[in-house]
Amino acid sequence: MSVRDQYLEALGIDLWMPRARRTLPLEATGAQQEAEAPDPDETAVPIETAVRPPAPAAVVAATPGMAPLDEAAWQALRAQVSVCTRCELSKTRTQTVFGVGNPRAEIMLIGEAPGADEDRQGEPFVGRAGQLLNSMLRAIGHPRETVFIANVLKCRPPGNREPRPAEVACCLPYLQRQLDMIQPRLLVALGRVAAQNLLATDAPLARLRGQLHRFGARATPLIVTYHPAYLLRSPNEKRKSWVDLKFIRAELARARAGA
Ligand code: URA
């Protein structure tokens, strides 16, 4: 099974065979032509080429041209975040959620805020949405442990309400600091709320997807895609997320080549 098929299956999308590979009764001549006509979605990019993932992990440790992580500064930032009381969310959280993964990652993914599971476990994207995110990452050859995953907010908003502007303003400097230290080649904003807060816009997700944005002092390339929790709720959008994943993979390759 191709990586794309594995991804679509993980998303709960029915798999289909390319028409040319289907066995249909050949006497139906009109239908035969149609049956053998290549499916545009299958042929636009040869699947085996398009979805074969690059070798994972190794590229991360050996990312050329990147300064080594200042381990002491990283741990100091983690400690600072863990006792943060800059906003009211410090009163209702169980614990802060600093982020998880490789602090020398090439890709940094940014979600909205911790939910109940994340608040309990102290790690981002550990619930059902997290499992889907893991499948998405595996599908493009960048498994969870090779990337860095964080949120716009480090604390859970009560009842999972949307982050308030004042909370974002308090918390964003932590994310910017993480970004300065990690220096990823590519940022991925997961969902409308993360994208709008990072890009300081109220444009809808549909307008933000499919283009390359820039974020922060280093003008790091940023791609917007669906939040995995949204994909769980909205099966119709699942196929489009594969388009975004291919965009992410292609942009990373471009960023590497330009390094
Ligand atoms: N949703 C998010 O945006 N972040 C998490 O960490 C979990 C769910």
Side-chain angles (χ1 to χ4, degrees):
M1 191 187 280
S2 75
V3 176
R4 184 199 64 166
D5 288 353
Q6 285 171 31
Y7 172 65
L8 293 177
E9 190 175 72
L11 286 176
I13 292 175
D14 289 341
L15 296 176
W16 72 95
M17 291 291 286
R19 287 180 185 161
R21 276 196 262 145
R22 281 184 203 143
T23 45
L24 293 179
L26 292 183
E27 66 271 17
T29 46
Q32 181 188 350
Q33 271 188 347
E34 208 224 322
E36 291 181 352
D39 184 327
D41 191 36
E42 294 289 338
T43 53
V45 190
I47 290 172
E48 290 312 318
T49 316
V51 301
R52 185 178 296 130
V59 288
V60 173
T63 306
M66 290 169 74
L69 179 75
D70 182 340
E71 186 66 36
W74 182 255
Q75 292 309 338
L77 179 62
R78 184 189 286 278
Q80 189 188 356
V81 166
S82 73
V83 295
C84 178
T85 55
R86 283 184 190 173
C87 81
E88 294 289 295
L89 296 182
S90 60
K91 296 184 179 147
T92 50
R93 74 179 179 225
T94 304
Q95 59 189 315
T96 58
V97 179
F98 182 69
V100 70
N102 183 349
R104 301 312 288 136
E106 290 184 289
I107 304 178
M108 182 169 172
L109 297 109
I110 304 171
E112 178 178 331
D117 292 332
E118 291 75 21
D119 175 69
R120 230 181 346 262
Q121 296 186 39
E123 182 172 328
F125 287 97
V126 290
R128 274 185 71 221
Q131 284 168 21
L132 179 55
L133 180 61
N134 294 347
S135 299
M136 294 162 78
L137 290 169
R138 266 199 310 275
I140 51 166
H142 295 276
R144 183 179 176 96
E145 62 276 12
T146 70
V147 302
F148 193 83
I149 306 173
N151 284 304
V152 170
L153 293 189
K154 305 269 182 258
C155 296
R156 181 191 182 208
N160 296 344
R161 63 160 170 76
E162 278 194 22
R164 293 182 176 145
E167 295 159 355
V168 174
C170 288
C171 216
L172 217 47
Y174 291 134
L175 191 70
Q176 273 156 346
R177 191 84 190 95
Q178 285 178 307
L179 184 60
D180 288 345
M181 291 197 213
I182 297 172
Q183 296 179 21
R185 293 196 197 281
L186 185 64
L187 288 170
V188 178
L190 297 168
R192 175 187 62 82
V193 174
Q196 289 181 341
N197 279 293
L198 292 172
L199 298 172
T201 177
D202 56 8
L205 187 87
R207 280 238 313 274
L208 299 173
R209 283 181 59 240
Q211 47 176 309
L212 198 64
H213 306 270
R214 301 271 166 185
F215 179 78
R218 305 172 63 86
T220 308
L222 183 150
I223 289 176
V224 175
T225 188
Y226 297 102
H227 194 289
Y230 173 78
L231 291 177
L232 290 172
R233 290 194 304 272
S234 310
N236 291 344
E237 309 289 19
K238 287 177 175 178
R239 279 190 197 283
K240 290 195 219 156
S241 73
W242 178 242
V243 175
D244 294 346
L245 290 176
K246 287 194 289 185
F247 183 29
I248 290 166
R249 201 181 49 189
E251 274 311 318
L252 181 59
R254 215 188 313 276
R256 279 181 190 161

